[in-house]
Amino acid sequence: MSLPRFPFDNSYARLPEVFFRRCEPKSASTPGLICFNHALADSLGIDVKHSDEASLAEVFSGNQLPEGADSLAMAYCGHQFGNLVPLLGDGRAILLGEVVDAYGKRRDIQLKGAGKTPFSRPGSDGLAPLGPVLREYLVSEAMYALGIPTTRALAAVTTGEQVVREYPQPGAVITRVAASHIRVGTFQYLALQDDRDQLQRLADYVIARHFPNAMFEDNPYLELLRCVSERQASLVAQWMSIGFIHGVMNTDNMTVSGETLDYGPCAFMDAYHPETVFSSIDVQGRYSFENQPYVARWNLARLAETLLPLIDEDQDVAIEKAKAVLEDFMPRYDAFWLDAMRAKLGLENPEEDDATLLEALLQSLADHRVDFTLFFRYLYRVAEDPGDDAEVAALFRDANDWHQWSQRWQQRLQRESVPAVDRGERMRAVNPAVIPRNHRVEEAIRAAEDKGDFEPFHRLLAMVTDPYREPGEHPEYMQPPAANEQVVRTFCGT
Ligand code: AMP
Ligand code: MG
């Protein structure tokens, strides 16, 4: 048996050394493969034909570097909960290199939890406990299946060693695949070096890699800001449309590619409430559900600050130009959000009053603590047959509110041109039946941690990666937690 073969082409490693530090993963005593994403590996051109589980575990634990890897830790800084931390960098992640996928897209391949790097904080171990690895695997692959831009999970392995957090836990490594791991914080880091040439080098690299059309604009760096802003407006609108709470939207956790990055304390809301927060460290609710678009805009303002010297030599001119882009963020976000929410309600022809209809609905969902996912999922039945609304009505504490809103919605539907049968089908294709609900994720983690039983993990993974299908054989996977199953706090696991 031989190690998997990667068609590496490592462009980041060819950048100047200020961007990263070379380092190697630590060895694991007895690596064991939990999960390998064959479909993703295929699309990345990774050849595993002659690799058994043991050789996959060797590479994806970091025990052996595959041929052509040029492993390094990326440098970045970031605002964490609003405070600038001038040096963060990959403290527990090691980039193996890049491959160009079947669609011609360059992808980073990174190990997370494979030991210390030159950026690890003193006293930290660079490791990852099993729980957060399983959580990231489940949630990132669910997001992908939901059509939301995200980093992917290629492999998960156990290391055979213990990681000490509040209590000793099994250690694990996740292999993450990303359009790139360049963050707002990467720009902040280069800007702090006070070396305009290197900053421009990063900007040019990002333009070439992610936004090649920007090269042809009069002001490519302003266009870069506009492109990142557009991607983030779209991304956060998509999060909001499925009840996803990232939980730790620090500038070092926001990509410039527009992919969701860093699945730490993230969670999906069960009962709808705009102020929902799960993360144990987010005591002020800075990253609550409803704050996400505002935080994204705040982060983009930090990106804009770093780009000012590239946008115009005259700082006042640069500020004016950047401000115009930032002012466009909310209207763009609102437009993306409205589009996504209209689709959830089966509306295709935009009307002026749609936002009001949606606001009334969300108010009612919050008042009655209605399960966000189930409500939208069951709605297709009502769209097909207005009489078939018992399941939806039962989600409300007082069905009168539902009936009132439903009448407005039914009238609105009458002005649509799509036939009712098609409408139901289209609604089923945008309103998932299964999301990685917190209590199911916890259940999968508990079984793996306590008993080494990965069956619940694999079962949940199969369900959340086929999210629009109602799991007839396991209907309970659609349901919100019972009172005694609720998970109200999530943790970073760092
Ligand atoms: P995160 O919460 O994953 O965004 O991480 C924030 C920063 O802390 C990053 O620079 C990480 O590399 C670093 N970090 C988190 N956990 C660890 C760990 N176990 N060992 C070393 N560095 C870590
Ligand atoms: Mg991070």
Side-chain angles (χ1 to χ4, degrees), residues 325-358:
V325 172
L326 294 172
E327 275 163 14
D328 220 26
F329 176 82
M330 271 304 166
R332 294 298 299 142
Y333 164 79
D334 285 339
F336 282 123
W337 182 81
L338 259 179
D339 275 354
M341 297 307 287
R342 271 196 195 101
K344 291 174 81 74
L345 294 183
L347 306 177
E348 299 199 358
N349 307 324
E351 280 189 14
E352 197 65 32
D353 271 352
D354 290 344
T356 327
L357 181 71
L358 273 158

PDB file of all heavy atoms in Angstrom, residues 325-358:
ATOM      1  N   VAL A 325     -17.925  51.981  -1.033  1.00  0.00           N
ATOM      2  CA  VAL A 325     -18.086  50.525  -1.140  1.00  0.00           C
ATOM      3  C   VAL A 325     -18.752  49.981   0.127  1.00  0.00           C
ATOM      4  O   VAL A 325     -19.687  49.174   0.063  1.00  0.00           O
ATOM      5  CB  VAL A 325     -16.720  49.831  -1.369  1.00  0.00           C
ATOM      6  CG1 VAL A 325     -16.861  48.322  -1.289  1.00  0.00           C
ATOM      7  CG2 VAL A 325     -16.136  50.246  -2.716  1.00  0.00           C
ATOM      8  N   LEU A 326     -18.281  50.459   1.273  1.00  0.00           N
ATOM      9  CA  LEU A 326     -18.831  49.950   2.539  1.00  0.00           C
ATOM     10  C   LEU A 326     -20.304  50.327   2.695  1.00  0.00           C
ATOM     11  O   LEU A 326     -21.106  49.553   3.231  1.00  0.00           O
ATOM     12  CB  LEU A 326     -18.019  50.466   3.725  1.00  0.00           C
ATOM     13  CG  LEU A 326     -16.571  49.959   3.792  1.00  0.00           C
ATOM     14  CD1 LEU A 326     -15.798  50.679   4.887  1.00  0.00           C
ATOM     15  CD2 LEU A 326     -16.524  48.451   4.016  1.00  0.00           C
ATOM     16  N   GLU A 327     -20.643  51.525   2.202  1.00  0.00           N
ATOM     17  CA  GLU A 327     -22.043  51.959   2.309  1.00  0.00           C
ATOM     18  C   GLU A 327     -22.961  51.102   1.448  1.00  0.00           C
ATOM     19  O   GLU A 327     -24.161  51.026   1.691  1.00  0.00           O
ATOM     20  CB  GLU A 327     -22.170  53.439   1.922  1.00  0.00           C
ATOM     21  CG  GLU A 327     -21.865  54.334   3.109  1.00  0.00           C
ATOM     22  CD  GLU A 327     -21.580  55.776   2.719  1.00  0.00           C
ATOM     23  OE1 GLU A 327     -21.876  56.157   1.560  1.00  0.00           O
ATOM     24  OE2 GLU A 327     -21.046  56.504   3.580  1.00  0.00           O
ATOM     25  N   ASP A 328     -22.383  50.470   0.486  1.00  0.00           N
ATOM     26  CA  ASP A 328     -23.169  49.610  -0.387  1.00  0.00           C
ATOM     27  C   ASP A 328     -23.424  48.233   0.236  1.00  0.00           C
ATOM     28  O   ASP A 328     -24.241  47.463  -0.275  1.00  0.00           O
ATOM     29  CB  ASP A 328     -22.381  49.426  -1.690  1.00  0.00           C
ATOM     30  CG  ASP A 328     -23.303  49.463  -2.887  1.00  0.00           C
ATOM     31  OD1 ASP A 328     -24.370  50.086  -2.765  1.00  0.00           O
ATOM     32  OD2 ASP A 328     -22.950  48.851  -3.916  1.00  0.00           O
ATOM     33  N   PHE A 329     -22.706  47.917   1.308  1.00  0.00           N
ATOM     34  CA  PHE A 329     -22.796  46.563   1.859  1.00  0.00           C
ATOM     35  C   PHE A 329     -24.221  46.227   2.313  1.00  0.00           C
ATOM     36  O   PHE A 329     -24.770  45.181   1.919  1.00  0.00           O
ATOM     37  CB  PHE A 329     -21.813  46.376   3.025  1.00  0.00           C
ATOM     38  CG  PHE A 329     -21.950  45.020   3.680  1.00  0.00           C
ATOM     39  CD1 PHE A 329     -21.343  43.895   3.140  1.00  0.00           C
ATOM     40  CD2 PHE A 329     -22.738  44.858   4.816  1.00  0.00           C
ATOM     41  CE1 PHE A 329     -21.494  42.645   3.717  1.00  0.00           C
ATOM     42  CE2 PHE A 329     -22.905  43.600   5.410  1.00  0.00           C
ATOM     43  CZ  PHE A 329     -22.274  42.498   4.855  1.00  0.00           C
ATOM     44  N   MET A 330     -24.830  47.091   3.111  1.00  0.00           N
ATOM     45  CA  MET A 330     -26.161  46.775   3.663  1.00  0.00           C
ATOM     46  C   MET A 330     -27.223  46.621   2.569  1.00  0.00           C
ATOM     47  O   MET A 330     -27.973  45.639   2.585  1.00  0.00           O
ATOM     48  CB  MET A 330     -26.587  47.808   4.699  1.00  0.00           C
ATOM     49  CG  MET A 330     -26.141  47.445   6.089  1.00  0.00           C
ATOM     50  SD  MET A 330     -26.766  45.798   6.553  1.00  0.00           S
ATOM     51  CE  MET A 330     -25.819  45.430   7.935  1.00  0.00           C
ATOM     52  N   PRO A 331     -27.287  47.558   1.630  1.00  0.00           N
ATOM     53  CA  PRO A 331     -28.260  47.353   0.545  1.00  0.00           C
ATOM     54  C   PRO A 331     -28.035  46.044  -0.226  1.00  0.00           C
ATOM     55  O   PRO A 331     -28.989  45.359  -0.579  1.00  0.00           O
ATOM     56  CB  PRO A 331     -28.038  48.562  -0.380  1.00  0.00           C
ATOM     57  CG  PRO A 331     -27.352  49.584   0.456  1.00  0.00           C
ATOM     58  CD  PRO A 331     -26.631  48.872   1.541  1.00  0.00           C
ATOM     59  N   ARG A 332     -26.755  45.698  -0.435  1.00  0.00           N
ATOM     60  CA  ARG A 332     -26.475  44.441  -1.160  1.00  0.00           C
ATOM     61  C   ARG A 332     -26.904  43.250  -0.301  1.00  0.00           C
ATOM     62  O   ARG A 332     -27.508  42.301  -0.770  1.00  0.00           O
ATOM     63  CB  ARG A 332     -24.974  44.311  -1.499  1.00  0.00           C
ATOM     64  CG  ARG A 332     -24.463  45.333  -2.473  1.00  0.00           C
ATOM     65  CD  ARG A 332     -25.146  45.228  -3.829  1.00  0.00           C
ATOM     66  NE  ARG A 332     -24.925  43.942  -4.468  1.00  0.00           N
ATOM     67  CZ  ARG A 332     -25.852  43.291  -5.179  1.00  0.00           C
ATOM     68  NH1 ARG A 332     -27.071  43.780  -5.305  1.00  0.00           N
ATOM     69  NH2 ARG A 332     -25.561  42.143  -5.741  1.00  0.00           N
ATOM     70  N   TYR A 333     -26.550  43.325   0.984  1.00  0.00           N
ATOM     71  CA  TYR A 333     -26.946  42.250   1.900  1.00  0.00           C
ATOM     72  C   TYR A 333     -28.472  42.102   1.908  1.00  0.00           C
ATOM     73  O   TYR A 333     -29.007  40.992   1.788  1.00  0.00           O
ATOM     74  CB  TYR A 333     -26.416  42.536   3.319  1.00  0.00           C
ATOM     75  CG  TYR A 333     -27.118  41.688   4.348  1.00  0.00           C
ATOM     76  CD1 TYR A 333     -26.765  40.358   4.531  1.00  0.00           C
ATOM     77  CD2 TYR A 333     -28.197  42.200   5.078  1.00  0.00           C
ATOM     78  CE1 TYR A 333     -27.450  39.558   5.425  1.00  0.00           C
ATOM     79  CE2 TYR A 333     -28.885  41.410   5.971  1.00  0.00           C
ATOM     80  CZ  TYR A 333     -28.513  40.086   6.141  1.00  0.00           C
ATOM     81  OH  TYR A 333     -29.211  39.297   7.004  1.00  0.00           O
ATOM     82  N   ASP A 334     -29.170  43.229   2.058  1.00  0.00           N
ATOM     83  CA  ASP A 334     -30.643  43.190   2.103  1.00  0.00           C
ATOM     84  C   ASP A 334     -31.211  42.534   0.844  1.00  0.00           C
ATOM     85  O   ASP A 334     -32.159  41.754   0.921  1.00  0.00           O
ATOM     86  CB  ASP A 334     -31.217  44.607   2.237  1.00  0.00           C
ATOM     87  CG  ASP A 334     -31.035  45.155   3.652  1.00  0.00           C
ATOM     88  OD1 ASP A 334     -30.854  44.355   4.594  1.00  0.00           O
ATOM     89  OD2 ASP A 334     -31.060  46.399   3.806  1.00  0.00           O
ATOM     90  N   ALA A 335     -30.611  42.865  -0.288  1.00  0.00           N
ATOM     91  CA  ALA A 335     -31.111  42.302  -1.549  1.00  0.00           C
ATOM     92  C   ALA A 335     -30.895  40.789  -1.585  1.00  0.00           C
ATOM     93  O   ALA A 335     -31.799  40.028  -1.963  1.00  0.00           O
ATOM     94  CB  ALA A 335     -30.424  42.981  -2.734  1.00  0.00           C
ATOM     95  N   PHE A 336     -29.710  40.352  -1.168  1.00  0.00           N
ATOM     96  CA  PHE A 336     -29.440  38.903  -1.144  1.00  0.00           C
ATOM     97  C   PHE A 336     -30.386  38.206  -0.166  1.00  0.00           C
ATOM     98  O   PHE A 336     -30.895  37.116  -0.433  1.00  0.00           O
ATOM     99  CB  PHE A 336     -27.988  38.625  -0.712  1.00  0.00           C
ATOM    100  CG  PHE A 336     -26.968  38.846  -1.787  1.00  0.00           C
ATOM    101  CD1 PHE A 336     -25.912  39.738  -1.604  1.00  0.00           C
ATOM    102  CD2 PHE A 336     -27.030  38.153  -2.993  1.00  0.00           C
ATOM    103  CE1 PHE A 336     -24.948  39.937  -2.590  1.00  0.00           C
ATOM    104  CE2 PHE A 336     -26.072  38.338  -3.994  1.00  0.00           C
ATOM    105  CZ  PHE A 336     -25.036  39.238  -3.776  1.00  0.00           C
ATOM    106  N   TRP A 337     -30.574  38.851   0.969  1.00  0.00           N
ATOM    107  CA  TRP A 337     -31.416  38.251   2.011  1.00  0.00           C
ATOM    108  C   TRP A 337     -32.862  38.121   1.524  1.00  0.00           C
ATOM    109  O   TRP A 337     -33.491  37.063   1.669  1.00  0.00           O
ATOM    110  CB  TRP A 337     -31.337  39.104   3.284  1.00  0.00           C
ATOM    111  CG  TRP A 337     -32.130  38.551   4.426  1.00  0.00           C
ATOM    112  CD1 TRP A 337     -31.750  37.561   5.276  1.00  0.00           C
ATOM    113  CD2 TRP A 337     -33.448  38.945   4.833  1.00  0.00           C
ATOM    114  NE1 TRP A 337     -32.748  37.315   6.195  1.00  0.00           N
ATOM    115  CE2 TRP A 337     -33.794  38.153   5.947  1.00  0.00           C
ATOM    116  CE3 TRP A 337     -34.361  39.903   4.378  1.00  0.00           C
ATOM    117  CZ2 TRP A 337     -35.026  38.266   6.607  1.00  0.00           C
ATOM    118  CZ3 TRP A 337     -35.581  40.025   5.034  1.00  0.00           C
ATOM    119  CH2 TRP A 337     -35.902  39.214   6.134  1.00  0.00           C
ATOM    120  N   LEU A 338     -33.351  39.203   0.922  1.00  0.00           N
ATOM    121  CA  LEU A 338     -34.736  39.167   0.430  1.00  0.00           C
ATOM    122  C   LEU A 338     -34.917  38.079  -0.624  1.00  0.00           C
ATOM    123  O   LEU A 338     -35.914  37.339  -0.590  1.00  0.00           O
ATOM    124  CB  LEU A 338     -35.105  40.515  -0.193  1.00  0.00           C
ATOM    125  CG  LEU A 338     -35.945  41.444   0.663  1.00  0.00           C
ATOM    126  CD1 LEU A 338     -36.215  42.741  -0.090  1.00  0.00           C
ATOM    127  CD2 LEU A 338     -37.284  40.784   1.056  1.00  0.00           C
ATOM    128  N   ASP A 339     -33.955  37.967  -1.515  1.00  0.00           N
ATOM    129  CA  ASP A 339     -34.034  36.920  -2.553  1.00  0.00           C
ATOM    130  C   ASP A 339     -34.126  35.548  -1.917  1.00  0.00           C
ATOM    131  O   ASP A 339     -34.952  34.709  -2.302  1.00  0.00           O
ATOM    132  CB  ASP A 339     -32.767  36.934  -3.421  1.00  0.00           C
ATOM    133  CG  ASP A 339     -32.884  37.946  -4.539  1.00  0.00           C
ATOM    134  OD1 ASP A 339     -33.980  38.536  -4.689  1.00  0.00           O
ATOM    135  OD2 ASP A 339     -31.877  38.149  -5.247  1.00  0.00           O
ATOM    136  N   ALA A 340     -33.239  35.308  -0.936  1.00  0.00           N
ATOM    137  CA  ALA A 340     -33.195  33.989  -0.298  1.00  0.00           C
ATOM    138  C   ALA A 340     -34.497  33.718   0.454  1.00  0.00           C
ATOM    139  O   ALA A 340     -35.042  32.609   0.398  1.00  0.00           O
ATOM    140  CB  ALA A 340     -31.998  33.901   0.638  1.00  0.00           C
ATOM    141  N   MET A 341     -34.996  34.730   1.154  1.00  0.00           N
ATOM    142  CA  MET A 341     -36.199  34.537   1.970  1.00  0.00           C
ATOM    143  C   MET A 341     -37.448  34.405   1.099  1.00  0.00           C
ATOM    144  O   MET A 341     -38.355  33.627   1.409  1.00  0.00           O
ATOM    145  CB  MET A 341     -36.366  35.678   2.983  1.00  0.00           C
ATOM    146  CG  MET A 341     -35.252  35.775   4.002  1.00  0.00           C
ATOM    147  SD  MET A 341     -34.887  34.248   4.927  1.00  0.00           S
ATOM    148  CE  MET A 341     -36.285  34.139   6.019  1.00  0.00           C
ATOM    149  N   ARG A 342     -37.489  35.160   0.015  1.00  0.00           N
ATOM    150  CA  ARG A 342     -38.618  35.023  -0.920  1.00  0.00           C
ATOM    151  C   ARG A 342     -38.698  33.585  -1.419  1.00  0.00           C
ATOM    152  O   ARG A 342     -39.778  32.999  -1.466  1.00  0.00           O
ATOM    153  CB  ARG A 342     -38.409  35.932  -2.138  1.00  0.00           C
ATOM    154  CG  ARG A 342     -38.951  37.299  -1.981  1.00  0.00           C
ATOM    155  CD  ARG A 342     -39.048  37.961  -3.352  1.00  0.00           C
ATOM    156  NE  ARG A 342     -39.239  39.375  -3.182  1.00  0.00           N
ATOM    157  CZ  ARG A 342     -38.276  40.289  -3.315  1.00  0.00           C
ATOM    158  NH1 ARG A 342     -37.052  39.930  -3.673  1.00  0.00           N
ATOM    159  NH2 ARG A 342     -38.546  41.559  -3.110  1.00  0.00           N
ATOM    160  N   ALA A 343     -37.542  33.044  -1.788  1.00  0.00           N
ATOM    161  CA  ALA A 343     -37.532  31.671  -2.313  1.00  0.00           C
ATOM    162  C   ALA A 343     -38.074  30.707  -1.257  1.00  0.00           C
ATOM    163  O   ALA A 343     -38.799  29.752  -1.582  1.00  0.00           O
ATOM    164  CB  ALA A 343     -36.120  31.280  -2.737  1.00  0.00           C
ATOM    165  N   LYS A 344     -37.750  30.955   0.000  1.00  0.00           N
ATOM    166  CA  LYS A 344     -38.234  30.068   1.060  1.00  0.00           C
ATOM    167  C   LYS A 344     -39.751  30.103   1.176  1.00  0.00           C
ATOM    168  O   LYS A 344     -40.374  29.132   1.592  1.00  0.00           O
ATOM    169  CB  LYS A 344     -37.600  30.455   2.414  1.00  0.00           C
ATOM    170  CG  LYS A 344     -36.110  30.148   2.479  1.00  0.00           C
ATOM    171  CD  LYS A 344     -35.466  30.655   3.755  1.00  0.00           C
ATOM    172  CE  LYS A 344     -35.692  29.729   4.935  1.00  0.00           C
ATOM    173  NZ  LYS A 344     -34.884  28.498   4.862  1.00  0.00           N
ATOM    174  N   LEU A 345     -40.338  31.251   0.827  1.00  0.00           N
ATOM    175  CA  LEU A 345     -41.797  31.380   0.899  1.00  0.00           C
ATOM    176  C   LEU A 345     -42.475  31.019  -0.422  1.00  0.00           C
ATOM    177  O   LEU A 345     -43.692  31.156  -0.551  1.00  0.00           O
ATOM    178  CB  LEU A 345     -42.175  32.823   1.256  1.00  0.00           C
ATOM    179  CG  LEU A 345     -41.770  33.337   2.640  1.00  0.00           C
ATOM    180  CD1 LEU A 345     -42.286  34.755   2.842  1.00  0.00           C
ATOM    181  CD2 LEU A 345     -42.296  32.430   3.747  1.00  0.00           C
ATOM    182  N   GLY A 346     -41.688  30.601  -1.391  1.00  0.00           N
ATOM    183  CA  GLY A 346     -42.279  30.242  -2.676  1.00  0.00           C
ATOM    184  C   GLY A 346     -42.610  31.450  -3.537  1.00  0.00           C
ATOM    185  O   GLY A 346     -43.455  31.361  -4.435  1.00  0.00           O
ATOM    186  N   LEU A 347     -41.964  32.575  -3.283  1.00  0.00           N
ATOM    187  CA  LEU A 347     -42.229  33.785  -4.060  1.00  0.00           C
ATOM    188  C   LEU A 347     -41.114  33.988  -5.081  1.00  0.00           C
ATOM    189  O   LEU A 347     -39.941  33.885  -4.739  1.00  0.00           O
ATOM    190  CB  LEU A 347     -42.291  35.012  -3.141  1.00  0.00           C
ATOM    191  CG  LEU A 347     -43.270  34.923  -1.970  1.00  0.00           C
ATOM    192  CD1 LEU A 347     -43.171  36.175  -1.103  1.00  0.00           C
ATOM    193  CD2 LEU A 347     -44.700  34.747  -2.483  1.00  0.00           C
ATOM    194  N   GLU A 348     -41.535  34.274  -6.305  1.00  0.00           N
ATOM    195  CA  GLU A 348     -40.511  34.453  -7.339  1.00  0.00           C
ATOM    196  C   GLU A 348     -40.510  35.843  -7.940  1.00  0.00           C
ATOM    197  O   GLU A 348     -39.453  36.347  -8.316  1.00  0.00           O
ATOM    198  CB  GLU A 348     -40.671  33.385  -8.422  1.00  0.00           C
ATOM    199  CG  GLU A 348     -40.494  32.006  -7.815  1.00  0.00           C
ATOM    200  CD  GLU A 348     -40.188  30.910  -8.798  1.00  0.00           C
ATOM    201  OE1 GLU A 348     -40.135  31.183 -10.011  1.00  0.00           O
ATOM    202  OE2 GLU A 348     -40.010  29.771  -8.332  1.00  0.00           O
ATOM    203  N   ASN A 349     -41.701  36.449  -8.073  1.00  0.00           N
ATOM    204  CA  ASN A 349     -41.744  37.798  -8.649  1.00  0.00           C
ATOM    205  C   ASN A 349     -41.679  38.806  -7.509  1.00  0.00           C
ATOM    206  O   ASN A 349     -42.620  38.931  -6.744  1.00  0.00           O
ATOM    207  CB  ASN A 349     -43.060  38.030  -9.415  1.00  0.00           C
ATOM    208  CG  ASN A 349     -43.303  36.934 -10.436  1.00  0.00           C
ATOM    209  OD1 ASN A 349     -42.368  36.431 -11.040  1.00  0.00           O
ATOM    210  ND2 ASN A 349     -44.565  36.552 -10.608  1.00  0.00           N
ATOM    211  N   PRO A 350     -40.568  39.520  -7.416  1.00  0.00           N
ATOM    212  CA  PRO A 350     -40.410  40.450  -6.293  1.00  0.00           C
ATOM    213  C   PRO A 350     -41.518  41.500  -6.234  1.00  0.00           C
ATOM    214  O   PRO A 350     -41.942  42.002  -7.279  1.00  0.00           O
ATOM    215  CB  PRO A 350     -39.064  41.132  -6.574  1.00  0.00           C
ATOM    216  CG  PRO A 350     -38.386  40.307  -7.597  1.00  0.00           C
ATOM    217  CD  PRO A 350     -39.426  39.556  -8.340  1.00  0.00           C
ATOM    218  N   GLU A 351     -41.977  41.791  -5.035  1.00  0.00           N
ATOM    219  CA  GLU A 351     -42.926  42.889  -4.847  1.00  0.00           C
ATOM    220  C   GLU A 351     -42.425  43.780  -3.722  1.00  0.00           C
ATOM    221  O   GLU A 351     -41.747  43.317  -2.804  1.00  0.00           O
ATOM    222  CB  GLU A 351     -44.322  42.350  -4.489  1.00  0.00           C
ATOM    223  CG  GLU A 351     -45.093  41.858  -5.701  1.00  0.00           C
ATOM    224  CD  GLU A 351     -46.547  41.534  -5.367  1.00  0.00           C
ATOM    225  OE1 GLU A 351     -47.032  41.942  -4.280  1.00  0.00           O
ATOM    226  OE2 GLU A 351     -47.194  40.887  -6.205  1.00  0.00           O
ATOM    227  N   GLU A 352     -42.808  45.020  -3.807  1.00  0.00           N
ATOM    228  CA  GLU A 352     -42.386  46.052  -2.860  1.00  0.00           C
ATOM    229  C   GLU A 352     -42.605  45.637  -1.401  1.00  0.00           C
ATOM    230  O   GLU A 352     -41.751  45.818  -0.552  1.00  0.00           O
ATOM    231  CB  GLU A 352     -43.208  47.317  -3.188  1.00  0.00           C
ATOM    232  CG  GLU A 352     -42.681  48.605  -2.620  1.00  0.00           C
ATOM    233  CD  GLU A 352     -41.316  49.000  -3.203  1.00  0.00           C
ATOM    234  OE1 GLU A 352     -41.035  48.685  -4.382  1.00  0.00           O
ATOM    235  OE2 GLU A 352     -40.556  49.586  -2.436  1.00  0.00           O
ATOM    236  N   ASP A 353     -43.752  45.034  -1.129  1.00  0.00           N
ATOM    237  CA  ASP A 353     -44.155  44.754   0.253  1.00  0.00           C
ATOM    238  C   ASP A 353     -43.611  43.450   0.832  1.00  0.00           C
ATOM    239  O   ASP A 353     -43.949  43.086   1.956  1.00  0.00           O
ATOM    240  CB  ASP A 353     -45.692  44.698   0.335  1.00  0.00           C
ATOM    241  CG  ASP A 353     -46.242  46.088   0.618  1.00  0.00           C
ATOM    242  OD1 ASP A 353     -45.424  46.990   0.882  1.00  0.00           O
ATOM    243  OD2 ASP A 353     -47.475  46.256   0.558  1.00  0.00           O
ATOM    244  N   ASP A 354     -42.781  42.739   0.062  1.00  0.00           N
ATOM    245  CA  ASP A 354     -42.321  41.429   0.534  1.00  0.00           C
ATOM    246  C   ASP A 354     -41.545  41.527   1.851  1.00  0.00           C
ATOM    247  O   ASP A 354     -41.668  40.656   2.716  1.00  0.00           O
ATOM    248  CB  ASP A 354     -41.451  40.751  -0.538  1.00  0.00           C
ATOM    249  CG  ASP A 354     -42.287  40.310  -1.736  1.00  0.00           C
ATOM    250  OD1 ASP A 354     -43.531  40.256  -1.589  1.00  0.00           O
ATOM    251  OD2 ASP A 354     -41.702  40.037  -2.796  1.00  0.00           O
ATOM    252  N   ALA A 355     -40.770  42.604   1.986  1.00  0.00           N
ATOM    253  CA  ALA A 355     -39.989  42.756   3.217  1.00  0.00           C
ATOM    254  C   ALA A 355     -40.920  42.864   4.424  1.00  0.00           C
ATOM    255  O   ALA A 355     -40.648  42.297   5.487  1.00  0.00           O
ATOM    256  CB  ALA A 355     -39.074  43.973   3.123  1.00  0.00           C
ATOM    257  N   THR A 356     -42.033  43.561   4.253  1.00  0.00           N
ATOM    258  CA  THR A 356     -42.994  43.730   5.360  1.00  0.00           C
ATOM    259  C   THR A 356     -43.634  42.397   5.713  1.00  0.00           C
ATOM    260  O   THR A 356     -43.818  42.066   6.893  1.00  0.00           O
ATOM    261  CB  THR A 356     -44.103  44.733   4.951  1.00  0.00           C
ATOM    262  OG1 THR A 356     -43.532  45.693   4.089  1.00  0.00           O
ATOM    263  CG2 THR A 356     -44.727  45.375   6.151  1.00  0.00           C
ATOM    264  N   LEU A 357     -43.960  41.633   4.696  1.00  0.00           N
ATOM    265  CA  LEU A 357     -44.552  40.307   4.922  1.00  0.00           C
ATOM    266  C   LEU A 357     -43.571  39.431   5.711  1.00  0.00           C
ATOM    267  O   LEU A 357     -43.955  38.723   6.652  1.00  0.00           O
ATOM    268  CB  LEU A 357     -44.866  39.659   3.568  1.00  0.00           C
ATOM    269  CG  LEU A 357     -45.519  38.278   3.597  1.00  0.00           C
ATOM    270  CD1 LEU A 357     -46.963  38.367   4.088  1.00  0.00           C
ATOM    271  CD2 LEU A 357     -45.483  37.626   2.201  1.00  0.00           C
ATOM    272  N   LEU A 358     -42.302  39.514   5.340  1.00  0.00           N
ATOM    273  CA  LEU A 358     -41.278  38.720   6.018  1.00  0.00           C
ATOM    274  C   LEU A 358     -41.047  39.182   7.446  1.00  0.00           C
ATOM    275  O   LEU A 358     -40.884  38.361   8.357  1.00  0.00           O
ATOM    276  CB  LEU A 358     -39.960  38.799   5.238  1.00  0.00           C
ATOM    277  CG  LEU A 358     -39.857  37.746   4.146  1.00  0.00           C
ATOM    278  CD1 LEU A 358     -38.860  38.151   3.084  1.00  0.00           C
ATOM    279  CD2 LEU A 358     -39.467  36.391   4.754  1.00  0.00           C
TER     280      LEU A 358
END
